[in-house]
């Protein structure tokens, strides 16, 4: 047999489609090849993103994986077609039963699950009356319901994606002025309910107690199997969730089964719900402790590093990058944009799991790389992988004005770096399947601010395409932007209302006329 025919040169989209239709092996049968095709189409000059749909709402609008949610997740639209279409609408709920928070849940393809419905995407929804529902993300059909508690009011729903865990936080139990005056100590800060997913199963509920964790607790977050507790004195302490579960669990409980903690009643059914089966009686070992501004501790990179700002006002806008091994500062580990802006700059670990860092300022975006090796005493080093810059006019700094007589006068105050009249970076979104960065920047060339989206290659930072948003961009409102393959979603808040704009990849008019 002859060896399969391989080409070293680049194959264009038309050739790939023809070869696929003829059944040629490896011609676009894998999702990776399909995404290369789509990326090629997006970067062609005869394609553009056009606004195809807009819809307003009185309540916040959410987007997740091709679905737009309105009316507190009651009404779902699919973005998979040429323009969004209504997918389902849940029965109307009273304000006591309204959905407070929701998460989209999709099982890994390699897992074999007991129920066929577990393989399909579902919406996990937390209601105001303490029920956790699992709805089909495609039809809205109720698949499962769990009653959480009669005693504790749960309100916040969050993911610990790396551990395939879901956790639900109760409202914070704050001391009242009368309690403080009477000397009554309110030791319970909040409760956490932790679930495994695929399928949905309870791990346990435990209390965050001020006697155990300290009086100044202000918030609790679960991430990568670590319980992060923030304190009023700007300290953050990390604890192992695995250690807490293994040491302090009093009884393994199962949804739908009786429990001795409920005197034989069924776990997850009203009115008893789920018992507190993890009793933390003493403070667990502290894995890591750090004082930082606004509890802003981030851990990531390869090898492991953390980013923080020291807890002093003079350090605001300055970020320290340190190795988690030995807490040593990386060479060139102090990063600052030295900008003067209302919003300031933003820094975070790159969502592509490359270990890189994205640092966004009003005029510059730096993608940083950490150079370092495990099992060595040599310090790691932070270097710039690539940078993206705005194309500002160097004279447009607002430092000088010209009077009607032609005299140049120096102004007393300089413009802010993120002034609406200047070209300014606003946000960066990463499209993992296309390996593209969507960079949003605005300018004030017209009376109303306009937004432009620049598509950059994620590996080199090279600019690939630029296109404009149709609607004006008002910096006094909140904005969210999502880049999902051939779709871009822009959600904006306008005073007391919200609006969602959907853009789809389309051929230009010249291309359509030729067809």
């Amino acid at each position: 047999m002859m060896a399969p025919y391989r080409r070293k040169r680049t194959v264009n989209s038309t050739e790939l489609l023809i070869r696929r239709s003829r059944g040629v092996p490896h011609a676009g049968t894998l999702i990776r090849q399909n995404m290369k095709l789509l990326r090629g189409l997006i970067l062609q000059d005869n394609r553009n993103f056009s606004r195809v749909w807009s819809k307003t709402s009185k309540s916040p609008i959410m987007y997740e994986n091709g679905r737009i949610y309105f009316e507190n997740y009651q009404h779902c639209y699919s973005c998979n077609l040429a323009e969004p279409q209504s997918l389902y609408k849940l029965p109307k709920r009273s304000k006591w039963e309204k959905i407070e928070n929701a998460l989209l849940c999709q099982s890994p393809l390699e897992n074999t699950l007991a129920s066929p419905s577990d393989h399909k995407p579902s919406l996990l929804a937390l209601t105001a009356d303490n029920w956790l529902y699992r709805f089909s993300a495609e039809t809205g059909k109720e698949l499962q319901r769990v009653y959480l508690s009669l005693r504790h009011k749960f309100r916040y729903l969050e993911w610990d994606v790396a551990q395939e865990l879901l956790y639900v936080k109760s409202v914070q139990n704050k001391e009242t002025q009368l309690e403080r005056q009477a000397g009554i100590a309110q030791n319970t800060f909040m409760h956490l309910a932790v679930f495994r997913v695929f399928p949905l199963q309870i791990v346990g509920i435990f209390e965050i107690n001020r006697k155990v964790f300290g009086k100044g607790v202000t918030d609790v977050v679960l991430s990568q199997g670590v319980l992060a507790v923030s304190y009023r004195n700007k300290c953050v302490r990390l604890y192992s969730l695995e250690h807490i579960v293994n040491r302090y669990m009093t009884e393994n409980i199962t949804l739908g089964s009786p429990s001795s903690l409920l005197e034989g009643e069924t776990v997850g059914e009203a009115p008893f719900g789920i018992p507190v089966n993890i009793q933390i009686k003493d403070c667990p070992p502290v894995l890591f402790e750090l004082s930082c501004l606004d509890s802003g501790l981030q851990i990531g990179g390869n090898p492991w590093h953390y980013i923080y700002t020291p807890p002093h006002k003079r350090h605001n806008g300055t970020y320290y990058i340190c190795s988690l091994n030995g807490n040593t500062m990386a060479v060139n580990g102090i990063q600052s944009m030295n900008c003067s802006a209302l919003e300031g700059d933003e820094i975070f670990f790159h969502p592509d799991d490359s270990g890189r860092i994205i640092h966004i300022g009003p005029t510059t975006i730096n993608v940083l790389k950490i150079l370092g090796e495990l099992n060595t005493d040599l310090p790691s080093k932070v270097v710039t992988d690539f940078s993206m810059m705005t194309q500002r006019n160097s004279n447009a700094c607002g430092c000088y004005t010209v009077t009607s007589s032609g005299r140049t006068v120096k102004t007393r105050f300089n413009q802010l770096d993120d002034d609406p009249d200047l070209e300014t970076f606003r946000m960066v979104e990463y499209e993992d399947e296309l390996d593209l960065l969507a960079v949003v920047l605005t300018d004030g060339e017209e009376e109303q601010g306009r937004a432009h989206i620049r598509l950059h290659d994620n590996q080199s930072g090279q600019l690939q395409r630029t296109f404009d948003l149709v609607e004006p961009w008002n910096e006094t409102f909140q904005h969210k932007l999502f880049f999902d393959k051939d779709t871009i979603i822009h959600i904006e808040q306008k005073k007391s209302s919200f609006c969602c704009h959907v853009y789809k990849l389309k051929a230009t008019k010249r291309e359509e006329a030729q067809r």
Side-chain angles (χ1 to χ4, degrees), residues 37-56:
L37 261 172
L38 180 57
R39 176 183 164 122
L41 290 172
I42 288 174
L43 300 184
Q44 286 180 1
D45 292 336
N46 56 4
R47 298 288 190 274
N48 207 348
F49 282 93
S50 301
R51 190 172 69 178
V52 298
W53 190 81
S54 294
K55 183 175 172 62
T56 58

Side-chain angles (χ1 to χ4, degrees), residues 259-375:
S259 168
S260 61
L261 298 174
L262 297 175
E263 299 181 351
E265 297 293 338
T266 302
V267 176
E269 291 189 359
F272 300 101
I274 302 173
V276 177
N277 66 323
I278 301 174
Q279 300 282 353
I280 307 176
K281 298 179 180 179
D282 50 36
C283 188
V286 179
L287 300 177
F288 183 77
E289 181 175 350
L290 182 72
S291 294
C292 51
L293 191 67
D294 299 327
S295 303
L297 171 66
Q298 301 180 63
I299 298 177
N302 184 21
W304 291 101
H305 280 66
Y306 60 92
I307 305 172
Y308 77 104
T309 297
H312 307 290
K313 288 185 177 180
R314 69 177 182 273
H315 293 296
N316 191 21
T318 302
Y319 301 96
Y320 285 43
I321 304 172
C322 301
S323 172
L324 202 57
N325 181 22
N327 299 328
T328 55
M329 172 80 72
V331 177
N332 197 32
I334 301 178
Q335 296 289 321
S336 176
M337 289 288 184
N338 296 318
C339 58
S340 175
L342 289 176
E343 297 296 330
D345 53 342
E346 183 181 5
I347 193 169
F348 52 88
F349 286 101
H350 200 308
D352 69 353
D353 295 328
S354 64
R356 294 181 296 173
I357 297 169
I358 298 180
H359 191 183
I360 308 172
T363 63
T364 306
I365 297 175
N366 291 326
V367 176
L368 309 172
K369 186 164 54 176
I370 300 174
L371 303 179
E373 296 181 3
L374 295 171
N375 305 319

Side-chain angles (χ1 to χ4, degrees), residues 386-413:
F386 60 83
S387 296
M388 295 173 275
M389 313 285 290
T390 58
Q391 301 298 321
R392 288 187 178 182
N393 186 339
S394 59
N395 295 324
C397 63
C399 301
Y400 298 91
T401 58
V402 180
T403 65
S404 57
S405 62
R407 187 167 58 97
T408 301
V409 180
K410 186 175 181 179
T411 57
R412 294 181 61 188
F413 302 102

Side-chain angles (χ1 to χ4, degrees), residues 160 163 165 192 194 203 206 222 224-227 239-247 278 287:
D160 182 0
Q163 303 297 313
L165 292 177
L192 262 73
V194 181
V203 174
F206 58 90
L222 188 61
Q224 298 183 357
V226 172
L227 188 73
Y239 304 89
S240 167
L241 177 67
E242 182 181 8
H243 174 86
I244 290 172
V245 171
N246 291 340
R247 178 171 178 178
I278 301 174
L287 300 177

